[in-house]
Amino acid sequence: MENNNNKDNKLNIELPEDIADGVYSNLAVITHSQSEFVCDFVQIMPGMPKAKVRSRVIMTPENAKRLLHALQDNIRKFEENLGTIKDGNSDLPPINFGTPPTEA
């Protein structure tokens, strides 16, 4: 039996400069089909009737579930160190507000 060593499984992740700045989003719209999840990250400006999608991430259902678990783990660690995150901002629509599912 082979010994799987983490040193052999390193992944070199490149972060291009134009992506490193990130994109600000204060709303996520999540839709799905049988084969993919689509996460649109939106920036809403107060008093403006329109909002713009700033970034779209498309992933498999398996990777969406991995993302969910990673977020849960990171939120748990954050709250252990820095206190409970309040989630009662009523000025914004819900994260997923009934948009139709995407077609694959």
Side-chain angles (χ1 to χ4, degrees), residues 37-71:
F37 276 71
V38 178
C39 303
D40 286 329
F41 295 95
V42 181
Q43 183 179 11
I44 296 175
M45 298 303 289
M48 298 297 287
K50 290 175 78 175
K52 225 180 217 184
V53 173
R54 296 295 181 178
S55 181
R56 171 174 277 186
V57 177
I58 303 167
M59 61 185 82
T60 65
E62 295 82 6
N63 284 336
K65 194 164 190 178
R66 286 186 191 103
L67 175 62
L68 169 67
H69 290 221
L71 281 170

Side-chain angles (χ1 to χ4, degrees), residues 81-98:
N81 291 311
L82 300 167
T84 302
I85 300 170
K86 296 177 186 175
D87 59 359
N89 187 348
S90 61
D91 294 341
L92 296 175
I95 297 267
N96 184 351
F97 50 97

Side-chain angles (χ1 to χ4, degrees), residues 2-12:
E2 289 184 20
N3 182 6
N4 271 344
N5 194 334
N6 281 344
K7 287 186 257 179
D8 297 333
N9 295 327
K10 286 186 180 178
L11 178 63
N12 185 12

Side-chain angles (χ1 to χ4, degrees), residues 74-84:
N74 276 270
I75 288 171
R76 180 186 54 77
K77 289 174 183 174
F78 178 97
E79 290 184 331
E80 283 174 2
N81 291 311
L82 300 167
T84 302

